[in-house]
Amino acid sequence: MSGAAAREATLQKPWRSLRREREAVSFGTWVFVASEAMFFAGPLLAYAAYRSLWPEAFAAAGRETDIVYGTVNTALLLTSSLTMAAAAEGARARLRRLTLTCLAATAALGLAFLVVKGFEYREDIHKHLIPGAGFRLDMPPAQLFFAFYWLLTGVHALHLSIGIGITVTLLIQAWHGSRPLPSPAFEGAGLYWHFVDLVWIFLYPLLYLMGRS
Amino acid sequence: MTGLGENLPRNAGAIWHRILPVWVGLMALLAGTAAGAYLPLGRFNLVLSLAIAVAKATLVVLFFMQLRRPNPLLRLAASAALVFMAFLFTLTFADVLTRAAPTQPGTVTPQVTAPQQATGQRAF
């Protein structure tokens, strides 16, 4: 496909130039990401308020989370952001092989995160860390910590699953050639993926690094 | 105008050269924050780990999410969320941290006893 033809196939209806379309996709995704950030800010605010009221119980509960699983998962997610950034820039530079490899690596790293998270959840359930009757710790506010733990990691895992779905869809489309590489969709998907990574960057110290010293 | 990065690297080597150092920095910060959690700093453990989280987030936002490119529209959209979150946290903690002791939620502990068994007498 020649350059002009590729541009023709990429350009969607309301835009007169690929440059404008690209800016619109980035802007739209940023507005969505900003609203998602405010959504996560709600539970994080409640977490912060309760933690300031019961610091000892929160530290005792935080010690019960598994720092190894948490740290491995942080490394996996940060690396997946690297491959996603490479995929987005590769698509823009029309490097087909780099884009396909990096999209596949991103999806694989995201899946690896979910697998590790699954093992961690299994261990948490074994250790009776679910709020309610039979909870492992005596201090009632420790249950609040674990309510936030399940809520925040669960909603994050949901976002990550959606991200994996988007990445695999783009991978298939790029593989078949039904979506030309200069399409701004790769960059938009990248922005969303990096946002999910950002959420985890803040969840990691709040859920895993407490009460260790 | 280069606001949207029209002159980005065109080959794989140049792309990795741009973003690999960012990943190395992120991994170093992760190692630092995991080790820092075991230092006996008291309440400053939280300050340290959140400062490192902000540093990591800054790297991701500037280099992976491309806010380093001078595009005012995208920068405005990104900072709008920060402004509203700042209001949210400031106003809430202005309340939580300044209440008189008897009105603190800590005086009412969450209920942990098992729910009462039904006795067969219905209220309605």
Side-chain angles (χ1 to χ4, degrees):
Chain A
M1 214 189 283
S2 76
R7 200 161 299 138
E8 200 58 37
T10 314
L11 197 58
Q12 301 290 323
K13 216 22 182 177
W15 288 285
R16 274 176 295 167
S17 75
L18 189 55
R19 199 179 163 284
R20 282 198 177 183
E21 186 183 347
R22 206 179 276 289
E23 185 169 27
V25 166
S26 288
F27 178 55
T29 315
W30 263 112
V31 169
F32 171 67
V33 159
S35 72
E36 284 270 83
M38 289 188 276
F39 161 73
F40 274 99
L44 284 177
L45 173 74
Y47 166 95
Y50 283 122
R51 180 172 165 163
S52 74
L53 291 172
W54 292 292
E56 295 86 14
F58 266 59
R63 258 194 297 279
E64 297 292 327
T65 57
D66 195 310
I67 191 169
V68 177
Y69 283 135
T71 309
V72 167
N73 261 347
T74 313
L76 283 175
L77 218 49
L78 290 175
T79 311
S80 77
S81 259
L82 170 81
T83 54
M84 190 47 132
E89 293 207 10
R92 200 168 178 157
R94 298 178 200 194
L95 304 167
R96 183 179 152 83
R97 206 168 59 119
L98 178 73
T99 309
L100 292 179
T101 331
C102 283
L103 281 177
T106 307
L109 287 163
L111 276 177
F113 177 98
L114 289 182
V115 169
V116 173
K117 197 88 208 118
F119 281 118
E120 187 185 349
Y121 277 165
R122 197 183 61 168
E123 225 177 88
D124 293 337
I125 292 168
H126 268 295
K127 286 165 76 182
H128 297 287
L129 290 173
I130 301 172
F135 186 71
R136 181 186 177 88
L137 297 171
D138 271 341
M139 287 173 275
Q143 300 195 22
L144 280 176
F145 173 87
F146 271 94
F148 283 113
Y149 168 84
W150 290 100
L151 173 75
L152 288 166
T153 57
V155 174
H156 176 266
L158 176 70
H159 279 80
L160 189 63
S161 311
I162 295 169
I164 294 171
I166 294 171
T167 309
V168 170
T169 309
L170 286 182
L171 175 63
I172 293 169
Q173 289 177 339
W175 182 275
H176 285 315
S178 61
R179 182 180 293 280
L181 288 182
S183 160
F186 295 98
E187 223 160 316
L191 281 178
Y192 175 76
W193 189 274
H194 297 312
F195 165 73
V196 176
D197 187 21
L198 277 183
V199 172
W200 186 261
I201 285 177
F202 284 98
L203 291 189
Y204 172 64
L206 294 177
L207 298 178
Y208 291 93
L209 297 183
M210 264 206 295
R212 303 281 172 190
S213 54
Chain B
M1 183 176 159
T2 56
L4 284 163
E6 266 73 11
N7 39 15
L8 280 172
R10 283 272 168 213
N11 62 70
I15 289 175
W16 288 117
H17 189 73
R18 253 166 58 95
I19 59 177
L20 258 181
V22 181
W23 178 79
V24 172
L26 286 170
M27 285 298 159
L29 286 170
L30 171 61
T33 192
Y38 290 93
L39 297 177
L41 300 177
R43 62 196 311 176
F44 287 100
N45 276 116
L46 177 67
V47 178
L48 176 71
S49 62
L50 281 185
I52 293 182
V54 169
K56 281 199 274 189
T58 310
L59 282 179
V60 170
V61 166
L62 288 186
F63 293 95
F64 289 167
M65 297 174 93
Q66 310 288 6
L67 275 200
R68 206 170 43 128
R69 291 179 200 160
N71 186 316
L73 183 66
L74 303 188
R75 287 179 172 179
L76 260 179
S79 34
L82 286 184
V83 171
F84 284 107
M85 286 193 293
F87 277 124
L88 184 70
F89 275 80
T90 311
L91 294 179
T92 307
F93 273 93
D95 173 33
V96 169
L97 295 179
T98 55
R99 280 192 202 171
T103 63
Q104 284 286 7
T107 53
V108 182
T109 50
Q111 186 180 357
V112 288
T113 50
Q116 300 281 310
Q117 289 296 317
T119 54
Q121 291 174 337
R122 300 173 65 142
F124 298 103

